[in-house]
Amino acid sequence: NGYAEQKQENTAWALFVSGEYDVSDNFVLRGGLRYTDDEKEFEAQRFVSPFGAPPTGILRADPDDSDVSGDISGVWTVDDDLNFYARVARGFRAPSVQGRLLFGDSISVAESETVLSFEAGVKTQIARKLRLNVAGFLYQVDGQQIVAVGGQYNTATLLNADKSKGYGLEADLDWAPSSDWLFTLGASYNHTEID
């Protein structure tokens, strides 16, 4: 009952480097950096509305952004059956565009989001029959891209939340009593909130 057309061109490129360094026989540092550049050209137009609204002209949005992200981690190997690790990472998501023109008369743009995350854990193995891994994590997303549904035209609109936070614990257990059997058990606790 309605007709609209959308076109999007996305050009993205990145440069990245990673490496590792053996601090000692038991401790390894790894890290990486990435530069990302992202550009979008978006246009949309409504020709026929299912509710009798007039056609729109061509609506355009051309968001672009660039960012430097990366991570650093360390692994301490106690022996062949036990190691500890920790990681800090920063990530990036370029702007997004959405045009819901059958119900509304505008397009929406969500700006870039970034995330800073921390993780630490332990990996164990006992007699090659029992494996236990435990990890804890914490993160914060600035400008998280979200979709709000509703409003005057009951349509989906892209928005940026100010901050999103989360933390939790994860554990998994593998038990192989014989070469024919493997039992697994996993559990996690997750807490998230949006400011």
Side-chain angles (χ1 to χ4, degrees):
N1 294 327
Y3 176 67
E5 183 177 86
Q6 299 179 13
K7 297 177 184 176
Q8 178 171 273
E9 182 176 316
N10 190 181
T11 304
W13 62 272
L15 296 172
F16 57 92
V17 61
S18 63
E20 67 177 56
Y21 176 69
D22 294 338
V23 178
S24 70
D25 291 341
N26 297 53
F27 187 67
V28 177
L29 276 177
R30 294 182 178 97
L33 282 175
R34 177 186 176 103
Y35 173 81
T36 303
D37 185 89
D38 188 284
E39 296 180 14
K40 292 180 175 66
E41 294 178 11
F42 182 90
E43 58 180 54
Q45 182 174 12
R46 180 180 65 228
F47 299 99
V48 178
S49 167
F51 304 108
T56 67
I58 297 175
L59 305 173
R60 291 184 174 87
D62 300 314
D64 64 272
D65 201 1
S66 59
D67 191 76
V68 176
S69 55
D71 71 331
I72 187 166
S73 63
V75 178
W76 176 40
T77 303
V78 178
D79 57 37
D80 290 343
D81 298 324
L82 175 65
N83 74 48
F84 296 89
Y85 70 93
R87 181 174 186 252
V88 179
R90 184 182 184 282
F92 162 76
R93 181 178 182 187
S96 296
V97 185
Q98 183 169 263
R100 301 292 180 131
L101 295 182
L102 290 184
F103 294 92
D105 294 332
S106 63
I107 55 180
S108 59
V109 177
E111 299 302 321
S112 299
E113 69 179 33
T114 58
V115 59
L116 182 62
S117 64
F118 303 86
E119 180 181 353
V122 59
K123 297 184 179 225
T124 66
Q125 181 172 265
I126 301 168
R128 304 207 179 269
K129 292 185 178 290
L130 190 65
R131 189 170 34 219
L132 174 65
N133 302 321
V134 179
F137 64 89
L138 169 72
Y139 68 85
Q140 178 174 303
V141 183
D142 291 328
Q144 182 175 358
Q145 298 175 11
I146 58 176
V147 177
V149 179
Q152 179 181 0
Y153 300 107
N154 191 31
T155 189
T157 304
L158 287 171
L159 301 171
N160 290 93
D162 185 29
K163 291 187 187 320
S164 302
K165 303 172 187 174
Y167 60 84
L169 292 169
E170 297 179 346
D172 60 79
L173 178 70
D174 295 343
W175 177 44
S178 72
S179 59
D180 297 322
W181 287 94
L182 174 65
F183 296 93
T184 63
L185 175 66
S188 67
Y189 170 78
N190 299 283
H191 175 87
T192 60
E193 59 184 90
I194 296 177
D195 292 336

